[in-house]
Amino acid sequence: MRRIGILTSGGDAPGMNACIRAAVRTALTHDLAVVGIRRGYTGLINGDTVPLDRAAIRNTIHLGGTILETSRNPDFYTKEGRLRAAASIDRMGLDGIVLIGGEGTFHGASLLAADADTAALVGVPGSIDNDVYGTDYCIGFDTAANCAVEAIDRIRDTARSHERLFFIEVMGRTSGFLALESGIAGGAEELVIPEEEVSIARISERIQEGFTIGKKSAIVVVAEGETPGISFKIAREVSERLNFESRVVVLGHLQRGGPPTLRDRVLGSLLGVAAVEALIEGRSGCMVGEVGGNLTYTPLEETWQKKKPLDENLRRIFPFLSE
Ligand code: F6P
């Protein structure tokens, strides 16, 4: 291993820069040459690189987003696109690549490895959705969840003051990690997550039960799922059923940026070092993660083919914590 590339792909996540910084410093410590690949798979296909020396990553640990920029490139889902990427990797002279991203990134990487005899590929999980199998937490989740909790706290002030029902929509396309954890930490009354069928009857009953025991306001946390803005429909139907006024707040991309929390900086640093050390050890086709406090290496295929389950115990305790 003499020369490696680093890229970030898919949705940006706070802590990605801490990961890039750690990967660069680890590479330089081991006398590896390192380049940044700009804009994820778009840059990989086009050979679009930036130098990543010590100066380039200095003063970046506290920055959200990704200094390498990112993209979701549909061309990478065509064989032609991936073969162009493989040719470009050859031209760049890369022996290994650290790919920081989520399920889509690792799906693409698995296809690339199957199509071409190319550089060693090691993934690092970065996604505010936290939906990547093979790690307890993804880089970015903690910051996004804390952002959601802060928003819930603020809205609670208004909900209580006006005796209102609020629907707060958080991100999470196929999984309810953000909704579940921010819902518990924010003391929400109800939860709507992609893992479960939406039941207007159940949500309404739960809110009604709260009113019966003296509550005057309620908060429902909704994961956006495949349909951002879905909470407007849910809110309208619940409001009509209960004959109670409601308001909707969609947090959207507000949750994705901003300075990473301590946890995301530490996780990003840990996994950035682990990814480069994995390449040096000769690993490829895997994602470094942390499970139960231990470093793990999960085959790239498993990271997107297997569904990461929600914490059953957290889901179990949610309903009675909000009674
Ligand atoms: O995958 C992260 C995520 O933020 C999802 O929660 C959300 O559904 C999606 O990305 C939004 O993607 P985009 O930024 O491309 O609109």
Side-chain angles (χ1 to χ4, degrees):
M1 191 66 47
R2 288 190 315 271
R3 182 175 160 84
I4 67 165
I6 303 175
L7 63 79
T8 51
S9 165
D12 60 295
M16 281 182 163
N17 290 324
C19 184
I20 297 166
R21 169 181 175 271
V24 170
R25 291 208 165 132
T26 308
L28 296 178
T29 301
H30 288 89
D31 294 324
L32 300 182
V34 53
V35 293
I37 297 156
R38 289 188 60 245
R39 303 184 63 220
Y41 288 149
T42 304
L44 195 63
I45 290 173
N46 299 326
D48 183 2
T49 62
V50 282
L52 273 184
D53 53 14
R54 290 192 188 273
I57 44 101
R58 208 167 279 149
N59 297 318
T60 58
I61 193 158
H62 61 301
L63 301 177
T66 157
I67 56 168
L68 291 177
E69 301 178 38
T70 186
S71 64
R72 301 186 200 275
N73 191 328
D75 288 350
F76 210 75
Y77 284 94
T78 65
K79 187 158 183 172
E80 195 214 328
R82 292 191 296 276
L83 292 180
R84 280 174 59 204
S88 149
I89 292 169
D90 268 356
R91 278 195 302 276
M92 292 187 276
L94 299 178
D95 305 309
I97 305 178
V98 173
L99 310 116
I100 309 165
E103 281 187 303
T105 303
F106 302 144
H107 187 178
S110 310
L111 297 175
L112 172 65
D115 283 343
D117 182 17
T118 186
L121 306 174
V122 170
V124 180
S127 164
I128 66 158
D129 287 0
N130 201 33
D131 56 351
V132 180
Y133 182 88
T135 191
D136 288 341
Y137 288 101
C138 295
I139 298 167
F141 171 74
D142 190 64
T143 308
N146 274 291
C147 173
V149 173
E150 191 190 330
I152 296 170
D153 289 349
R154 286 168 185 266
I155 287 161
R156 177 178 296 285
D157 291 343
T158 300
R160 197 190 51 202
S161 304
H162 281 266
E163 302 192 352
R164 265 185 196 157
L165 168 57
F166 268 92
F167 289 81
I168 304 175
E169 185 172 303
V170 301
M171 279 189 161
R173 200 190 329 241
T174 57
S175 64
F177 290 95
L178 268 177
L180 177 59
E181 293 209 20
S182 66
I184 287 183
E189 271 66 30
E190 252 301 340
L191 194 63
V192 178
I193 50 177
E195 287 83 352
E196 298 168 6
E197 196 85 5
V198 183
S199 165
I200 301 298
R202 192 200 70 205
I203 301 169
S204 310
E205 258 166 48
R206 289 275 305 159
I207 293 166
Q208 188 57 58
E209 277 165 24
F211 290 164
T212 311
I213 60 165
K215 290 193 179 190
K216 302 238 184 296
S217 61
I219 290 173
V220 180
V221 175
V222 180
E224 69 177 22
E226 299 285 352
T227 326
I230 184 75
S231 19
F232 287 99
K233 182 171 178 284
I234 297 173
R236 198 174 51 247
E237 291 178 20
V238 172
S239 274
E240 277 169 14
R241 214 175 164 112
L242 293 176
N243 194 23
F244 198 85
E245 214 180 327
S246 69
R247 294 286 188 274
V248 175
V249 178
V250 178
L251 298 185
H253 289 81
L254 196 67
Q255 295 151 97
R256 243 183 35 205
T261 57
L262 173 145
R263 286 260 52 90
D264 279 330
R265 296 180 198 197
V266 173
L267 183 65
S269 301
L270 189 80
L271 296 183
V273 172
V276 175
E277 288 182 346
L279 285 172
I280 294 168
E281 285 162 15
R283 293 183 194 265
S284 181
C286 65
M287 179 196 81
V288 293
E290 200 187 28
V291 177
N294 297 314
L295 212 52
T296 52
Y297 305 90
T298 305
L300 283 176
E301 293 76 29
E302 282 185 28
T303 65
W304 54 274
Q305 280 172 357
K306 290 194 177 171
K307 170 88 179 150
K308 179 173 167 183
L310 286 181
D311 184 321
E312 273 177 31
N313 196 39
L314 286 184
R315 184 62 190 107
R316 181 184 69 82
I317 66 176
F318 182 89
F320 61 84
L321 287 180
S322 55
E323 266 166 15

